[in-house]
Amino acid sequence: MLISTVVPCYNEEKVIGLTYEELSSELRGITDDYEIIFVDDGSRDATLALLKGFASCDRHVKYISFSRNFGKESAMLAGLRYSSGDFTVIMDADLQHPPELIGKMLEYGRQGFDQVIAQRDREGDKKTGAFFARAYYRLVDRLTDVKLTDGIGDFRMLSRKALDALLTMNEYNRFSKGLFSWIGFKEKIISYRNRSRAAGSSKWSFGSLIHYGVDGVLSFNNKPLRFCFFIGAAAIIISLIYLISLFVSIVFKGIDLPGYFTTIFTICLFGGVQLISIGIIGEYVGRIYYEVKRRPHYLVDETNFEKGAEQK
Ligand code: UDP
Ligand code: MG
């Protein structure tokens, strides 16, 4: 197999037909040796029925259907595990990732680049959204050891080598953007014009974006824990200075009782610092909890892959 494309789909009945057509006509123009792996992430609409329809009249189409919605990360992982291509392209089902780029990606792939990454501009994005996204990337860049870049997402082509490397990471909490960057290898970035969804609606709410953002920071290192340590240390030093100055003033001027403000202030301040620190530790403990359970990332309900096609 030359090219495998992995397409996670969740309630995409409105757009999946269009995606299938555009993607296959693009791939047909490149080679006959390709497969399209649709991963149905527990859709509650007609997505799976449509996928089966494509598969019944096109041998290039494979589908994997989950027993429920496991999230895009799990869907991508499943697709990647079943992929048998020398090159694997990951793309969204809503045509926001233009299939026309695959030809160019393959060219670079053949030149020896292990990750050919498509970077989008922020044309037509909501101003506030773009602002928060940029701020977030800057923050994550500072807080973690992996390099994330604005406009770079999951749309990319991986060589067999890069894909195998990616699959060695079996962690339960997956943050692909970080994992892609963590494995390294030779990278090539190509850029494309931002596109809006061809049809249907986005699956992201503001809340889920926040969760995703926190995952990004926490899944890559323990810097937030260290940050708590430094805040604690700074608090101890400041309070020691304050205590000494208070002691000196008591020795020289005697005790003056009024101190309500400072008392309340310190209680609130340190109460807050402690709660945040415990919260951060809790986040890590929670992650450890999920990791040690070693639950599967997804459960497959139906597929037209043969048994054992999955790479563990
Ligand atoms: N997706 C998925 N499972 C989910 C949510 C989304 O497989 O739980 C897929 C979705 O079908 C699409 C891709 O992930 O192919 C990106 O989702 P969406 O277009 O809603 O995100 P956006 O482009 O708005 O970031
Ligand atoms: Mg989209």
Side-chain angles (χ1 to χ4, degrees), residues 92 94 96 197 202:
D92 282 1
D94 56 5
Q96 277 187 303
R197 231 174 200 284
S202 175

mmCIF file of all heavy atoms in Angstrom, residues 92 94 96 197 202, ligand 2:
data_model
loop_
_atom_site.group_PDB
_atom_site.id
_atom_site.type_symbol
_atom_site.label_atom_id
_atom_site.label_comp_id
_atom_site.label_asym_id
_atom_site.label_seq_id
_atom_site.Cartn_x
_atom_site.Cartn_y
_atom_site.Cartn_z
ATOM 1 N N ASP A 92 -9.283 15.679 8.489
ATOM 2 C CA ASP A 92 -10.639 15.792 9.009
ATOM 3 C C ASP A 92 -11.659 15.412 7.946
ATOM 4 O O ASP A 92 -11.383 15.475 6.753
ATOM 5 C CB ASP A 92 -10.914 17.232 9.454
ATOM 6 C CG ASP A 92 -10.283 17.538 10.791
ATOM 7 O OD1 ASP A 92 -9.625 16.634 11.344
ATOM 8 O OD2 ASP A 92 -10.442 18.675 11.278
ATOM 9 N N ASP A 94 -14.392 17.036 7.304
ATOM 10 C CA ASP A 94 -15.253 18.144 6.897
ATOM 11 C C ASP A 94 -14.665 18.989 5.772
ATOM 12 O O ASP A 94 -15.119 20.096 5.513
ATOM 13 C CB ASP A 94 -15.568 19.030 8.101
ATOM 14 C CG ASP A 94 -14.310 19.536 8.782
ATOM 15 O OD1 ASP A 94 -13.216 19.276 8.259
ATOM 16 O OD2 ASP A 94 -14.422 20.198 9.822
ATOM 17 N N GLN A 96 -12.063 20.615 5.690
ATOM 18 C CA GLN A 96 -11.258 21.769 6.103
ATOM 19 C C GLN A 96 -9.798 21.515 5.773
ATOM 20 O O GLN A 96 -8.991 22.425 5.720
ATOM 21 C CB GLN A 96 -11.415 22.027 7.604
ATOM 22 C CG GLN A 96 -12.653 22.835 7.914
ATOM 23 C CD GLN A 96 -12.707 23.238 9.368
ATOM 24 O OE1 GLN A 96 -12.671 22.407 10.260
ATOM 25 N NE2 GLN A 96 -12.808 24.518 9.624
ATOM 26 N N ARG A 197 -15.671 24.706 7.197
ATOM 27 C CA ARG A 197 -16.350 23.434 7.053
ATOM 28 C C ARG A 197 -17.228 23.399 5.816
ATOM 29 O O ARG A 197 -17.962 24.336 5.567
ATOM 30 C CB ARG A 197 -17.258 23.298 8.267
ATOM 31 C CG ARG A 197 -17.107 22.039 8.966
ATOM 32 C CD ARG A 197 -17.951 22.105 10.210
ATOM 33 N NE ARG A 197 -17.418 21.083 11.076
ATOM 34 C CZ ARG A 197 -17.662 19.812 10.887
ATOM 35 N NH1 ARG A 197 -18.479 19.416 9.952
ATOM 36 N NH2 ARG A 197 -17.084 18.916 11.661
ATOM 37 N N SER A 202 -19.248 22.164 13.777
ATOM 38 C CA SER A 202 -18.056 21.806 14.542
ATOM 39 C C SER A 202 -18.437 21.051 15.814
ATOM 40 O O SER A 202 -19.467 21.311 16.410
ATOM 41 C CB SER A 202 -17.276 23.060 14.915
ATOM 42 O OG SER A 202 -16.198 22.718 15.742
HETATM 43 MG MG MG B 2 -13.565 21.052 11.242
#
